[in-house]
Amino acid sequence: MSNTTTAPTSHAGEYRKYLPDLSIPRFQTMKTQDAHVYAEAFKTGHQPPWLYALYQYWLQLLAEPFKGVTSDGYIKSDLFQLQDEGIPIEEVTSAANAVISQCTTSQLDCLSYHIDRPEWRTWSNPEFLLSDKGLRLDELTPSLRDAILSMLRASLSPEGYSKAISAMRINGFLGEIVESPAVMNEYSYNFVLFGTPSTTRPWGWSFYGHHLCLNAFFYRRQLILSPWFTGAEPNEIDSGPYAGTRILTQEETLGLQLMQSLSPEQQTKAQIYKLLHDPNMPPGRWNRDDQRHLCGAYRDNRIVPYEGIILASMPESAQRLVASILEEYLLYLPSTARQIRLKNALSYPEETYFSWIGGYGDTDPFYYRIQNPVIIVEFDHHSGVFLGNDEPAKFHVHTLLRTPNAGDYGMALRPMVEAVEQVFEWEPEEEGKVVGGHASRTL
């Protein structure tokens, strides 16, 4: 299964109707800035005000201790276990150490964090560099940058790596469209290590930037790749060396097939709102940046009640479509881990809910979510941020995955990790350094 396609779709090239006016002050200023100046201008100028207000809210959420996404505010226990998922941990660790070996002392100081540092939760998907940690790929030597990409390749499935690289290339394409490559380019992403790469002890990494955010936790041959966010505006490249690149088409196609395959009664129950910005939505159900998706950046503790219809009530054909959607969302995982995680995700047929917002005609933009105790996936068509479409369109897509009940960042697994034996005995090098049977503190 591959997420990157070259096949045309009904909305291919449609984004060109909404190319922005680059003569306006926003773009004239942006083209003169690098990522750091651009971010600092946002933080001091508070523009746009709705995104700045959201950023301040994110910082409030970060101040709360991690709990995990839940359906009702209570963590369900005994959902996760340590297991061998066939992750090639020796290869991944070797690739991570190859990155470390090329870093200067100052680069290592920026790159490495303790595994329990809360900075792991400070990834975000806007183009603004809101949390400047780790190493930014577009500021590195080609050799070090390639070493980081090799580590990503070793960590992910071949299909998942291709999807990530395609998202990065599309981001570069958008940077060319708005003539601001110093802010958005193929390598405008940060890479951070948490813990020390090891084949036997827990550690992980975070890779984040505009429209691509991945968080990986490793313990022995197990990988938790969650949370992640992948988006695109537009979701295709139709000119230049990467022409033909498209992403997030399978998630769209399969989701629409699922909704259209249901009976009218089930469609009515699954469709929790008829309009993408519905007046019946409660406060906070929609905002200008997240729009409909609920589990994005900084939403580590969000309560997301179950909505829609349950998997067990669907016909077998629809249940197979749900399985195909979840497999697509697990694409970043190597094949063995993917199948283990998919089997686990499908083992809750009475607790797996499918919900939908918007129309479900062939050309309608829409949102959907699949949610159960061990996985949440969201798909959302967005209005323009850089392109000029005021209403959601199929060429601007946001997708994400969370592992609820403290599964994100491997948090649910960490208490299960075998503790390091805490036995310490100091042996003096010279007898003369021992006074009265105790080590002297006189130097």
Side-chain angles (χ1 to χ4, degrees), residues 21-291:
D21 177 4
L22 300 184
S23 68
I24 65 174
R26 172 192 178 188
F27 293 113
Q28 287 296 306
T29 300
M30 185 179 181
K31 68 192 296 185
T32 68
Q33 298 169 317
D34 65 18
H36 302 279
V37 173
Y38 184 70
E40 185 62 22
F42 167 75
K43 292 179 179 180
T44 57
H46 306 174
Q47 297 295 322
W50 58 87
L51 180 56
Y52 183 78
L54 179 62
Y55 170 56
Q56 294 300 302
Y57 180 63
W58 283 349
L59 296 180
Q60 295 176 34
L61 297 180
L62 179 63
E64 296 297 313
F66 178 87
K67 180 176 182 178
V69 176
T70 64
S71 62
D72 57 7
Y74 297 94
I75 297 292
K76 293 178 173 59
S77 59
D78 302 322
L79 296 174
F80 307 101
Q81 62 181 357
L82 298 178
Q83 58 191 353
D84 187 340
E85 297 178 347
I87 298 300
I89 192 62
E90 293 84 3
E91 180 182 347
V92 176
T93 302
S94 176
N97 285 328
V99 173
I100 292 171
S101 69
Q102 293 194 43
C103 290
T104 64
T105 300
S106 61
Q107 285 175 327
L108 282 177
D109 289 341
C110 295
L111 174 66
S112 298
Y113 286 74
H114 189 280
I115 192 170
D116 290 330
R117 286 286 290 270
E119 282 83 357
W120 211 332
R121 298 168 54 197
T122 60
W123 60 273
S124 62
N125 56 282
E127 80 282 3
F128 295 97
L129 184 54
L130 300 179
S131 176
D132 187 10
K133 58 186 183 294
L135 302 179
R136 188 170 172 87
L137 270 64
D138 62 4
E139 299 173 349
L140 305 178
T141 64
S143 176
L144 181 51
R145 182 185 67 216
D146 289 347
I148 292 173
L149 293 178
S150 293
M151 205 223 64
L152 287 186
R153 185 192 294 271
S155 302
L156 307 177
S157 68
E159 306 94 331
Y161 180 74
S162 176
K163 176 181 176 179
I165 291 297
S166 295
M168 294 165 64
R169 288 173 175 172
I170 289 175
N171 185 57
F173 182 61
L174 177 60
E176 294 172 3
I177 289 175
V178 299
E179 298 180 359
S180 298
V183 175
M184 293 185 295
N185 61 74
E186 184 177 353
Y187 301 116
S188 54
Y189 295 87
N190 284 43
F191 174 70
V192 192
L193 279 177
F194 292 94
T196 302
S198 170
T199 60
T200 60
R201 301 303 302 163
W203 64 284
W205 52 257
S206 182
F207 185 92
Y208 66 97
H210 187 223
H211 277 156
L212 181 66
C213 308
L214 307 172
N215 294 281
F217 172 87
F218 295 93
Y219 179 59
R220 299 185 184 272
R221 298 189 181 279
Q222 188 167 3
L223 166 61
I224 302 297
L225 194 65
S226 175
W228 65 249
F229 178 102
T230 307
E233 183 192 18
N235 68 329
E236 64 172 314
I237 299 176
D238 58 3
S239 65
Y242 301 131
T245 300
R246 296 184 63 86
I247 63 171
L248 308 177
T249 56
Q250 283 292 95
E251 295 89 337
E252 176 187 300
T253 299
L254 291 169
L256 185 58
Q257 286 178 356
L258 172 59
M259 185 61 172
Q260 292 180 341
S261 75
L262 300 175
S263 69
E265 180 182 1
Q266 288 183 317
Q267 288 174 336
T268 298
K269 189 173 181 180
Q271 187 187 41
I272 55 176
Y273 297 103
K274 294 182 182 298
L275 303 178
L276 289 175
H277 190 188
D278 200 296
N280 293 317
M281 289 177 173
R285 185 58 187 83
W286 181 96
N287 69 65
R288 291 187 62 162
D289 293 285
D290 294 325
Q291 300 199 5

Side-chain angles (χ1 to χ4, degrees), residues 347-366:
S347 67
Y348 298 87
E350 298 287 348
E351 298 178 81
T352 299
Y353 286 76
F354 169 68
S355 57
W356 187 276
I357 298 176
Y360 41 92
D362 290 347
T363 61
D364 291 329
F366 54 80

